[in-house]
Amino acid sequence: MIMALLGVLALVFLIFWAMKKLNRRVVTSDSRNMKILERINLGPDKMLLLVSVRGKCMILGVTNGRIEKVHELEESEDQLIEKKDENGGNPSFKESFKIVLKDMMNKK
């Protein structure tokens, strides 16, 4: 009975090891074109993301069942980095979002 138990445990560990190896080959995440610059949680399963896609920055609203583009920034990722260097640090997401909201309100 002990040998059967050891055999089953060995089989479980073998399957676990094989799945781990196979998942490495299947999952390929090449993020050269897309970066999440910042994120802020708004509640359970709700967040805002500052994302750079091929140099263009945008704010995305993410919920449990939906992803929506809230605003596309006119500045590129490089321009945001230059501002970061000029200001001695990256502006907080809160400050960046306030600027975006003011721009959106002025457009309406």
Side-chain angles (χ1 to χ4, degrees):
M1 186 159 9
I2 292 175
M3 291 302 286
L5 179 62
L6 290 176
V8 169
L9 288 175
L11 183 63
V12 168
F13 283 116
L14 180 65
I15 291 172
F16 177 73
W17 178 80
M19 293 301 291
K20 199 172 179 183
K21 290 289 184 185
L22 289 174
N23 282 338
R24 272 194 211 149
R25 290 186 210 147
V26 172
V27 177
T28 57
S29 60
D30 188 9
S31 61
R32 283 184 265 168
N33 295 321
M34 185 172 144
K35 297 178 192 171
I36 297 175
L37 302 175
E38 287 195 44
R39 89 178 65 203
I40 185 169
N41 289 323
L42 301 175
D45 298 328
K46 297 175 186 172
M47 70 178 77
L48 288 173
L49 299 175
L50 178 59
V51 179
S52 172
V53 179
R54 293 190 175 213
K56 291 185 177 182
C57 294
M58 61 185 75
I59 296 178
L60 301 177
V62 180
T63 63
N64 203 10
R66 186 174 177 165
I67 299 173
E68 185 174 334
K69 181 171 82 170
V70 176
H71 184 72
E72 186 166 339
L73 301 174
E74 295 174 6
E75 300 165 320
S76 68
E77 180 183 356
D78 295 331
Q79 291 170 333
L80 287 175
I81 291 172
E82 286 176 17
K83 280 186 178 180
K84 172 185 170 184
D85 293 338
E86 290 172 3
N87 296 334
N90 199 11
S92 69
F93 187 80
K94 185 177 179 181
E95 293 168 358
S96 300
F97 192 64
K98 282 182 183 178
I99 293 169
V100 169
L101 283 177
K102 285 180 186 177
D103 289 345
M104 289 174 63
M105 296 307 255
N106 290 337
K107 288 182 182 179
K108 289 184 178 183

